[in-house]
Amino acid sequence: MSEKAPQKFTDLLSGKLSAKLPAKLAERAERGPVVAVVKLHGVITSTPSPMSRPTISTQTVETALTRAFGHDRLSGVVLSVNSPGGAPTQSALVADRIRELAAEKDVPVLAYCEDVAASGGYWLACAADEVYAHPTSIVGSVGVVSASFGLTGLMEKLGVERRVHTAGEHKVRLDPFFPEKEEDVQWLRGLQGELHEQFRDWVRKRRGSKLNGTDDDLFSGEVWSGAKAAELGLVDGVGSLREIVKEKFPDAHLHTVEPRKPLLARLGMSSSVRLGGSPADAVLSTVEALEHRAMWNRFGL
């Protein structure tokens, strides 16, 4: 080893080589506090899609959330919400995880509603200490919806006989291949009512005295523009994300954290391509695309 090698090692330890860092890295190292922006975009579902469209679940956003809350110069976290809703359990689990991390790191959390924060999307937004939106955003839809099809007539026309054998008289409630029963509809409405009450309790808990309206108005499943949502107390104000962050954290710079992209997106494939290429794959791809498209179309997007 040459005599100069030990000196180079000493320089490295003493930080004398920091001047040789690229300009952008050195500038970033000198910056002050950070606000982490977590993108919560897509339909909320417990079955993450391998397609290029994003989804929200505890599985898909956990890494992004831990990275966002784990920044060493963290001043706050912003949830960038763009979701038409979806599975209530996943909405609650993700929101609970956000509150857990916020308490652990002792940092404020803001939510920003982009195009739409409706139903489960608004549930996620309420995990924040303060909620903001653009005046044109679509916000609200505090309600519960279930949808299906009745295929009994089609089965008869096709001459197809459905054969189902169960242990337990209620195992095939609301099966689309059987005629609908009023008692099953009443059971579903009871379940929806229970979930709706949990949703209302969550919004009341998180928004509290900020709410400005009757329960019949606020929790009817209606949606409003961001401007109207501010009047109703569903959000704290309107503006652009950068405007709001600059006002709340004037000395901080933004650091965006995104959940990991779906498999096909990482492979550079479009959402119209599905691995395998079989007819069954094509059908699954089409059904999945229609379901996601229908969720967004409810809000004109």
Side-chain angles (χ1 to χ4, degrees):
M1 181 180 293
S2 68
E3 296 181 358
K4 295 182 178 181
Q7 184 60 45
K8 287 184 178 180
F9 183 69
T10 302
D11 290 345
L12 179 61
L13 293 178
S14 64
K16 292 182 179 180
L17 293 181
S18 61
K20 298 182 181 181
L21 290 172
K24 288 186 177 180
L25 290 179
E27 179 184 353
R28 184 172 298 176
E30 295 173 359
R31 288 178 180 175
V34 168
V35 171
V37 180
V38 186
K39 288 192 174 183
L40 300 178
H41 292 187
V43 172
I44 305 169
T45 173
S46 59
T47 55
S49 170
M51 314 302 287
S52 60
R53 65 183 67 86
T55 59
I56 301 171
S57 69
T58 53
Q59 177 180 343
T60 58
V61 304
E62 173 62 25
T63 300
L65 289 175
T66 52
R67 285 171 53 205
F69 280 93
H71 204 288
D72 57 357
R73 300 193 310 277
L74 191 66
S75 289
V77 172
V78 176
L79 312 173
S80 173
V81 181
N82 196 7
S83 172
T89 302
Q90 289 300 315
S91 302
L93 288 173
V94 173
D96 289 347
R97 180 59 175 151
I98 291 167
R99 294 313 312 157
E100 178 184 352
L101 288 168
E104 179 183 325
K105 302 297 182 179
D106 191 25
V107 293
V109 180
L110 274 60
Y112 185 77
C113 307
E114 293 198 359
D115 297 283
V116 58
S119 194
Y122 184 64
W123 188 307
L124 294 180
C126 285
D129 302 302
E130 296 180 9
V131 183
Y132 295 90
H134 192 271
T136 63
S137 302
I138 296 175
V139 180
S141 190
V142 181
V144 181
V145 61
S146 301
S148 184
F149 296 94
L151 303 176
T152 53
L154 177 62
M155 297 277 285
E156 292 173 2
K157 288 183 179 180
L158 295 176
V160 178
E161 179 184 357
R162 175 129 164 106
R163 297 174 180 175
V164 179
H165 308 281
T166 69
E169 59 180 317
H170 299 308
K171 286 295 290 184
V172 288
R173 281 192 190 274
L174 299 172
D175 188 306
F177 297 100
F178 289 145
E180 188 174 70
K181 295 180 181 179
E182 181 59 27
E183 63 179 275
D184 291 345
V185 175
Q186 291 303 317
W187 167 84
L188 177 62
R189 287 175 177 166
L191 180 60
Q192 288 179 325
E194 183 181 348
L195 293 174
H196 193 196
E197 184 59 33
Q198 292 179 24
F199 197 171
R200 291 197 295 262
D201 288 346
W202 171 249
V203 175
R204 292 190 194 104
K205 175 182 177 181
R206 299 301 304 162
R207 301 298 300 164
S209 61
K210 295 177 180 179
L211 295 174
N212 182 27
T214 67
D215 284 4
D216 289 342
D217 292 332
L218 296 174
F219 306 138
S220 66
E222 186 62 272
V223 294
W224 297 272
S225 69
K228 182 63 177 178
E231 294 179 15
L232 294 171
L234 294 170
V235 303
D236 294 283
V238 294
S240 72
L241 187 150
R242 289 188 176 275
E243 287 173 347
I244 292 163
V245 173
K246 185 176 181 179
E247 177 184 347
K248 296 291 182 179
F249 307 97
D251 299 325
H253 70 275
L254 299 180
H255 175 69
T256 301
V257 181
E258 296 188 51
R260 193 178 186 188
K261 292 182 179 180
L263 174 62
L264 293 189
R266 298 201 304 271
L267 295 175
M269 299 181 183
S270 70
S271 60
S272 61
V273 178
R274 196 177 187 100
L275 293 177
S278 70
D281 290 330
V283 171
L284 289 173
S285 176
T286 301
V287 170
E288 182 183 319
L290 289 174
E291 288 177 343
H292 283 237
R293 186 69 265 159
M295 292 283 288
W296 291 102
N297 284 347
R298 287 170 52 206
F299 306 103
L301 300 172

